Amino acid sequence: MFCSEIYFIALQIILLYTVALKAVNKRSVDLSASHALISDVRLSTEVVPTGYEIHLHPIMEKDSFTGTIKINISWTQAIKKISLHAHYDLNLNERTLTLLKLNKDSVEEAIPILRGDRMLRKTIYIIYLKSTVQECSQCILKIDFDGNIWQSTEGLFKGSYTDGINNEEKKHYLATSMNPNNARRLFPCFDEPGFKVPFTVSIARPKTYTTLFNTPLVRTESLNSSSESSYVIDYFETTPPMSTFTFGFVISQLNKFKSEQEKLTDMGLQLEISLWARHEVLAEIKEIYAKLNEIYPLLIDYFNMSLPLKKIDVLAIPELGSLRPADCWGLLMFKERDLLNKPSYYFLTHELAYQWLGSWITPDWWNVSHINSALVGFLSTTVTLKLDNDQEYKAKYPMTLLYSLYYEFSKRYPHSRITGLKQQMASQKTEMILRMLNYTLSESTFQAAIRKFVATYQYKAYVSNDLWDTITNQAILDGMLTSEYSVAEIATSWIAKDRLPMITVDTIWDKNNVKISQKLYLRERPHDVPEQHLMLWWIPIVMISQDNLNFSLTKPKIWMKEVREILVPNSWTENKFIIVNPQEIGPFPVNYDRKNWNLLLSFLLTDEGRSRIPTYTRAKLLHDAWNLAYAGDLNFATALNITLFMKYERNPIVWRPFFIMIDHIGRHIEMSDVHKKFDMYVQAILTPLYEELRNFDSNTWQSELKSLAHRSLSHAGYKPFVEEARQNYKLWIESANPDMDIILPNNYICIVFKWGTIEEWEFGLERVITFPKNRTRSERTYLLKTLAGCPVQPYKIIRLLNVTILEGNGNFTDNDILLIFNMLSGGSVGYETLYNFLYDNWSDVRRKFENKTNLWDSLITEATGSFKTSKGYEQVKTLYNQHKGEFGSATHIIESSLKNIKEEVKWSDENLPVIDVWLDNFLSNNNRTT
């Protein structure tokens, strides 16, 4: 139905929450992709730090720094060496290296040092001693060091920006980025999150600058050296115990935002939140200041504990580069544009929450980071939802996040082995497990457990079972679980698998019982995941019956304890539907027998039904039905029947899965009469919706829904919208200099390339060929993607392939050709035409790509891997047989394609006739009623 360009737009909708709201998770103790790159070699614990005293002297004009550190260390075992972290770029002065042992009455005794060595290929520095130091000894290790200030945002780095009304003045700043393990670039230390000790710090700076550190300033003194009279030294309060990655400071000429309310009074403590920015933008951050002061008390209320800090400085730093929001304890650094771009309440809540969970309470090691990130994400959401002003966030959470989880974990190979995506998805899945526990154990029990957790582990580091055990104990205390249950066991059954389950609910009509079974949820075929029969989860069975539609009852009727099947007695009344997992309490889809689906549909077709079944549950029923049918677990007629209530639905949360799935299913059946009927079905469903919303132009949910409906109708060939797009496109054709600018919205271009004439398409091709070098390349990329991915006429695609491959037009690079291949795989016209082009021009194409394995492999993948019918299978098999032995590096690709197409053929043979009959009936009934 849709071209592949719209497919990618749909995927962007699926991942919208992930990209827009969860990107903030990639930071601090949530290392995402980077955590896998951290060495597993950990420091020994025979020697541990108990405190740091650090003096730093950055020399801005020389891009270097010097420093001295005194580390209080304690011996837990008798040993004659000290291992700590120091980066290769950090120079340690071994001549001044000293170790003093503290005896009774604080008498210092020098301990002879033999030498210091760096561990091979590790950022670990080992100090060898002449004699063994006994257990329980207390010593002071003094090290002088120096290093360079870098431009990259690792360790201590330097940035610059232009200031003033006319950007006439260039200013510099210094800032730190210690996460996850960059403190060792600035000073020698025990650079692991589990070591939490106080820091006493002094930092030199130019007189005209301000230094902001984790803690407040105590005093400022001049440097003794007259040659450096332009520098002063700032002395700061000793920090509470903290990890090295939360250490941070900024030396800048930013200005402080002045507010009438400077301090928050909470629980007898004073905490000042200060905003710092360029003078020109101070007026713009007033709203942010108000939001921060609104959020912070809510976090205190949730945790029942304020931060042990006197201040939090929030900085809007211009041109901060690629640095993520860096939340050192008491010091939050943002890119200026991120902070000023009207951040959501969630965005700010998330940053503040890390002050509790991350800085104050810290994972013991990076393998717990995804749990910490998930906990911060969930609690940030909980607090954000208590505010009334973030409607956009409320409209997206949690459904769009769940959709991305369902999509990714139902693949045969989740994440495509991309480490960063794997870590991010693991964090998001864990957040949904926490949400599930919050529902099933009750919000009050969950909050009480988190409060105990914070009270117990303040200033400490924790492992994952510390969190799970705290929740278990509170749930047992409150009577929400019995002693046979363990939250650690429940959570691990979900977290340990890169998968999700689905359950099937079967009613046993003569006994009022319900049989519930679980299995691995797979959308992508073939369903040949190894050992899937061994995968079982702890699943809460929350059940709502039609005779008691109380959706506030979220305690499970029963827990499935990692068993394949259970019987729930006396849980159903004849001719009354049941709903399992309402409100997406747990991250798993639910299938029902046909009678229960039909009872649900009958209820949803009534005004009472749509008003009594909440929004999230209506969206879930629709989303589950479509996805289960797509996966082959539900008859497609039933799934299509469920969409009939959408004629009366107006909530965008419920509509989102509809837009996503008409794209998925549309692409799958993009052929002959079935495809045309499906387009007519889409138009019949969406036209009334659009007509009702056509006058909404303001920034409201109605306008967003209108935009989605307009886009879907356009790509289903709705004539008024196609003509509208072509009229706007004509203005571009007739413009005096069409190469200088695209004078129509992007959303019109694909419509014209799909439904317009060859002349209109050729105009677009010419714009790509003659694209000016001084224009943004992303505009050319978009044009090329739509030229390839949108047309439904083979002759347009053949023309593009001739120009780029056979004619070898020099305006197209190898990357352009790869992009074309990729876009053509998004629809049946594209990949069938690509197949025919390869079949007809085998010798020429093989010769051109014989030394370009990446292009050849991509061509075979996209030309043979997307067929879904018996005819397509025979086509690919014919190509394989005719050129056996000639595929080279792509031999395994076409053999895999043949295997996969067999599975798709089964799906098509089973579902296309069902869809065809259903569409005939729908269109017949619709014609009679219009």
Side-chain angles (χ1 to χ4, degrees):
M1 173 196 164
F2 288 4
C3 68
S4 54
E5 173 63 20
I6 302 307
Y7 168 63
F8 288 112
I9 291 173
L11 286 187
Q12 289 170 356
I13 295 172
I14 298 174
L15 298 172
L16 182 60
Y17 176 91
T18 303
V19 174
L21 297 175
K22 290 301 185 181
V24 292
N25 281 355
K26 294 184 178 180
R27 27 82 68 77
S28 253
V29 293
D30 175 26
L31 302 176
S32 195
S34 61
H35 111 294
L37 305 179
I38 295 177
S39 170
D40 289 329
V41 176
R42 300 181 65 172
L43 295 177
S44 64
T45 56
E46 291 95 345
V47 179
V48 296
T50 59
Y52 295 97
E53 182 180 336
I54 305 173
H55 171 69
L56 293 168
H57 185 178
I59 309 169
M60 294 186 69
E61 57 272 19
K62 295 183 180 180
D63 291 340
S64 64
F65 63 87
T66 63
T68 298
I69 187 168
K70 294 179 181 178
I71 310 177
N72 289 6
I73 52 180
S74 177
W75 263 253
T76 61
Q77 296 181 33
I79 194 173
K80 57 191 303 184
K81 67 179 181 180
I82 304 169
S83 298
L84 72 166
H85 290 109
H87 198 270
Y88 317 115
D89 300 327
L90 189 67
N91 302 312
L92 306 187
N93 188 339
E94 296 181 4
R95 291 177 299 176
T96 62
L97 190 65
T98 59
L99 179 65
L100 299 175
K101 182 178 180 181
L102 298 177
N103 295 322
K104 292 180 180 180
D105 302 321
S106 297
V107 177
E108 297 178 351
E109 172 192 346
I111 297 178
I113 295 173
L114 291 177
R115 70 184 189 280
D117 283 337
R118 293 185 184 273
M119 185 179 289
L120 186 64
R121 292 188 293 275
K122 302 292 181 183
T123 55
I124 294 178
Y125 188 79
I126 303 176
I127 300 170
Y128 294 94
L129 309 177
K130 188 174 182 179
S131 58
T132 299
V133 178
Q134 297 304 311
E135 181 181 351
C136 297
S137 296
Q138 306 296 317
C139 296
I140 298 176
L141 177 65
K142 179 177 177 293
I143 307 174
D144 295 324
F145 56 90
D146 62 84
N148 294 317
I149 299 171
W150 304 100
Q151 300 298 318
S152 60
T153 53
E154 294 178 307
L156 178 61
F157 64 94
K158 185 177 184 179
S160 63
Y161 59 93
T162 54
D163 201 10
I165 297 176
N166 299 314
N167 291 329
E168 70 278 3
E169 183 180 2
K170 187 172 185 179
K171 292 188 175 181
H172 297 278
Y173 63 86
L174 299 182
T176 57
S177 176
M178 298 305 183
N179 59 356
N181 57 356
N182 286 319
R184 67 192 70 177
R185 292 176 177 268
L186 181 58
F187 50 83
C189 56
F190 294 75
D191 197 13
E192 294 183 5
F195 294 118
K196 298 173 74 73
V197 298
F199 288 71
T200 303
V201 176
S202 60
I203 304 172
R205 62 166 169 86
K207 287 182 178 179
T208 57
Y209 283 69
T210 300
T211 299
L212 298 174
F213 178 63
N214 299 91
T215 53
L217 178 69
V218 175
R219 69 183 188 278
T220 299
E221 297 179 357
S222 298
L223 279 176
N224 294 328
S225 172
S226 59
S227 62
E228 294 183 311
S229 58
S230 62
Y231 273 75
V232 296
I233 304 176
D234 290 326
Y235 293 84
F236 298 92
E237 289 186 11
T238 299
T239 72
M242 67 182 195
S243 305
T244 49
F245 75 85
T246 66
F247 178 100
F249 65 88
V250 176
I251 301 176
S252 74
Q253 293 178 302
L254 297 175
N255 304 100
K256 183 177 179 180
F257 171 73
K258 301 294 184 181
S259 172
E260 296 177 0
Q261 181 186 6
E262 288 289 337
K263 294 184 178 181
L264 287 170
T265 303
D266 56 87
M267 300 177 69
L269 297 176
Q270 295 280 316
L271 184 142
E272 178 183 1
I273 295 180
S274 301
L275 283 176
W276 299 77
R278 291 184 301 125
H279 179 76
E280 286 75 14
V281 300
L282 286 178
E284 299 180 43
I285 62 178
K286 183 177 181 180
E287 180 184 346
I288 297 167
Y289 185 85
K291 283 184 178 181
L292 288 168
N293 282 275
E294 188 177 355
I295 293 166
Y296 183 70
L298 288 176
L299 286 167
I300 293 173
D301 179 68
Y302 189 90
F303 292 118
N304 197 34
M305 189 172 293
S306 60
L307 291 170
L309 299 172
K310 294 182 180 179
K311 62 89 182 175
I312 296 177
D313 288 305
V314 181
L315 289 81
I317 304 179
E319 308 300 328
L320 194 54
S322 61
L323 182 68
R324 301 179 296 271
D327 45 359
C328 318
W329 208 8
L331 184 67
L332 307 183
M333 292 177 258
F334 294 88
K335 297 179 186 178
E336 180 186 274
R337 64 178 177 270
D338 289 347
L339 194 61
L340 297 181
N341 190 25
K342 297 189 181 301
S344 67
Y345 276 94
Y346 176 86
F347 179 79
L348 295 173
T349 304
H350 197 276
E351 304 312 309
L352 284 176
Y354 259 104
Q355 295 290 292
W356 275 268
L357 298 166
S359 296
W360 194 11
I361 300 160
T362 306
D364 177 73
W365 190 242
W366 309 112
N367 59 357
V368 189
S369 64
H370 69 283
I371 293 177
N372 193 86
S373 174
L375 184 56
V376 171
F378 174 72
L379 297 182
S380 299
T381 293
T382 301
V383 170
T384 300
L385 293 176
K386 294 179 183 297
L387 299 163
D388 297 326
N389 301 320
D390 208 336
Q391 296 301 322
E392 180 181 356
Y393 179 77
K394 293 178 180 179
K396 292 180 171 63
Y397 183 91
M399 306 308 285
T400 46
L401 184 149
L402 281 164
Y403 297 159
S404 64
L405 293 179
Y406 286 150
Y407 181 81
E408 191 62 41
F409 289 124
S410 64
K411 292 179 178 178
R412 294 171 69 202
Y413 305 107
H415 326 299
S416 300
R417 300 179 178 85
I418 301 173
T419 302
L421 179 59
K422 180 176 181 178
Q423 295 298 323
Q424 184 177 346
M425 298 299 285
S427 175
Q428 293 173 4
K429 180 175 66 172
T430 303
E431 181 176 337
M432 291 297 97
I433 303 311
L434 292 167
R435 179 177 178 269
M436 179 180 78
L437 294 171
N438 184 69
Y439 268 112
T440 55
L441 303 181
S442 82
E443 184 176 353
S444 60
T445 291
F446 189 87
Q447 182 175 10
I450 297 303
R451 287 177 169 180
K452 284 187 178 178
F453 178 69
V454 171
T456 302
Y457 291 95
Q458 53 183 307
Y459 303 116
K460 298 177 184 178
Y462 71 92
V463 296
S464 58
N465 275 355
D466 294 332
L467 174 63
W468 305 134
D469 290 347
T470 303
I471 299 174
T472 299
N473 293 337
Q474 187 66 46
I476 293 173
L477 180 66
D478 293 348
M480 301 307 293
L481 288 177
T482 60
S483 57
E484 66 182 296
Y485 290 88
S486 162
V487 171
E489 188 176 358
I490 294 170
T492 301
S493 76
W494 293 83
I495 295 172
K497 306 180 188 74
D498 289 337
R499 296 291 180 185
L500 292 174
M502 63 164 283
I503 70 167
T504 299
V505 179
D506 290 317
T507 50
I508 303 175
W509 308 108
D510 58 336
K511 297 181 180 179
N512 294 71
N513 299 329
V514 171
K515 183 178 74 174
I516 297 179
S517 57
Q518 64 163 296
K519 69 173 184 176
L520 174 65
Y521 172 53
L522 290 169
R523 286 177 81 253
E524 191 177 277
R525 288 164 297 277
H527 295 176
D528 57 357
V529 174
E531 298 186 341
Q532 57 180 293
H533 63 286
L534 300 177
M535 297 185 187
L536 295 168
W537 290 257
W538 278 74
I539 301 177
I541 304 302
V542 179
M543 188 178 298
I544 302 292
S545 62
Q546 186 174 354
D547 11 23
N548 184 21
L549 291 177
N550 185 351
F551 287 85
S552 65
L553 299 177
T554 59
K555 184 177 181 180
K557 192 174 186 69
I558 192 172
W559 281 86
M560 280 189 92
K561 304 177 182 179
E562 290 187 300
V563 294
R564 183 66 59 195
E565 185 177 291
I566 61 171
L567 193 68
V568 186
N570 302 316
S571 52
W572 167 80
T573 303
E574 187 173 1
N575 294 323
K576 301 289 184 180
F577 64 77
I578 56 175
I579 297 175
V580 174
N581 197 30
Q583 301 295 84
E584 291 279 17
I585 287 173
F588 56 92
V590 181
N591 200 0
Y592 303 96
D593 53 60
R594 185 167 60 180
K595 183 170 185 178
N596 199 74
W597 278 116
N598 289 338
L599 289 170
L600 281 165
L601 174 60
S602 298
F603 195 64
L604 287 169
L605 288 173
T606 66
D607 292 338
E608 179 197 4
R610 290 188 302 280
S611 65
R612 296 190 65 189
I613 296 182
T615 301
Y616 286 167
T617 303
R618 300 199 307 275
K620 175 178 178 55
L621 292 170
L622 179 68
H623 187 261
D624 283 0
W626 281 82
N627 278 279
L628 291 166
Y630 190 87
D633 292 305
L634 179 66
N635 184 284
F636 239 106
T638 300
L640 287 164
N641 280 337
I642 293 296
T643 69
L644 295 178
F645 83 90
M646 299 302 292
K647 178 179 179 181
Y648 312 100
E649 182 62 61
R650 293 299 176 263
N651 192 298
I653 294 174
V654 186
W655 274 101
R656 275 195 192 95
F658 180 84
F659 288 118
I660 294 168
M661 293 310 298
I662 58 175
D663 172 63
H664 284 188
I665 306 302
R667 289 188 311 109
H668 211 101
I669 64 174
E670 193 176 22
M671 58 193 71
S672 65
D673 293 338
V674 178
H675 174 220
K676 295 174 184 177
K677 295 172 186 177
F678 194 75
D679 278 347
M680 295 169 66
Y681 154 78
V682 170
Q683 292 186 39
I685 293 287
L686 291 182
T687 301
L689 172 69
Y690 182 82
E691 291 299 321
E692 183 178 324
L693 299 175
R694 66 184 307 161
N695 295 323
F696 284 94
D697 294 319
S698 59
N699 187 24
T700 64
W701 66 264
Q702 290 99 334
S703 62
E704 179 187 5
L705 193 53
K706 170 189 168 184
S707 176
L708 291 170
H710 185 284
R711 184 164 55 198
S712 298
L713 283 168
S714 298
H715 290 280
Y718 187 55
K719 289 184 179 179
F721 294 168
V722 173
E723 287 306 311
E724 176 188 348
R726 293 183 67 191
Q727 287 299 318
N728 280 272
Y729 191 83
K730 184 179 179 182
L731 297 176
W732 186 24
I733 294 176
E734 295 175 350
S735 63
N737 193 349
D739 282 329
M740 292 310 297
D741 196 14
I742 300 176
I743 61 172
L744 80 163
N746 279 350
N747 60 301
Y748 285 139
I749 294 175
C750 188
I751 300 170
V752 174
F753 289 168
K754 181 174 185 179
W755 301 107
T757 64
I758 184 62
E759 290 77 19
E760 290 167 328
W761 184 90
E762 287 278 0
F763 176 82
L765 176 62
E766 186 64 22
R767 301 289 70 76
V768 171
I769 293 173
T770 62
F771 194 86
K773 293 183 179 179
N774 61 345
R775 281 183 50 199
T776 305
R777 300 299 291 177
S778 60
E779 295 180 7
R780 179 183 180 275
T781 300
Y782 182 81
L783 272 178
L784 184 57
K785 287 168 66 176
T786 50
L787 274 170
C790 294
V792 291
Q793 304 86 3
Y795 55 82
K796 294 178 182 176
I797 298 169
I798 290 293
R799 169 82 170 115
L800 182 62
L801 294 172
N802 283 335
V803 169
T804 55
I805 298 177
L806 297 185
E807 298 173 15
N809 188 297
N811 292 288
F812 295 90
T813 66
D814 286 354
N815 283 336
D816 289 338
I817 295 173
L818 286 171
L819 178 62
I820 291 169
F821 291 163
N822 183 262
M823 296 305 297
L824 290 177
S825 67
S828 63
V829 173
Y831 61 74
E832 287 189 53
T833 304
L834 184 60
Y835 168 88
N836 291 330
F837 174 82
L838 174 63
Y839 186 88
D840 294 339
N841 300 280
W842 176 269
S843 297
D844 291 338
V845 174
R846 186 72 185 93
R847 184 171 59 254
K848 284 181 176 291
F849 291 164
E850 61 183 349
N851 295 320
K852 297 182 177 181
T853 303
N854 61 329
L855 290 177
W856 178 248
D857 290 354
S858 176
L859 172 60
I860 300 303
T861 298
E862 311 302 357
T864 68
S866 299
F867 286 93
K868 298 172 176 64
T869 62
S870 299
K871 177 184 175 184
Y873 177 80
E874 292 303 323
Q875 287 178 273
V876 176
K877 188 175 180 181
T878 298
L879 181 73
Y880 178 71
N881 290 335
Q882 286 187 2
H883 299 286
K884 203 165 188 177
E886 300 177 36
F887 286 91
S889 60
T891 300
H892 72 286
I893 295 174
I894 191 169
E895 290 174 350
S896 177
S897 293
L898 286 167
K899 177 184 176 182
N900 294 339
I901 295 170
K902 278 187 176 180
E903 295 294 328
E904 297 299 334
V905 169
K906 293 179 184 176
W907 188 96
S908 298
D909 289 347
E910 291 174 3
N911 292 290
L912 286 182
V914 176
I915 295 172
D916 195 24
V917 170
W918 189 93
L919 289 172
D920 281 338
N921 292 332
F922 171 83
L923 295 173
S924 175
N925 292 332
N926 191 67
N927 289 334
R928 285 198 297 268
T929 58
T930 57

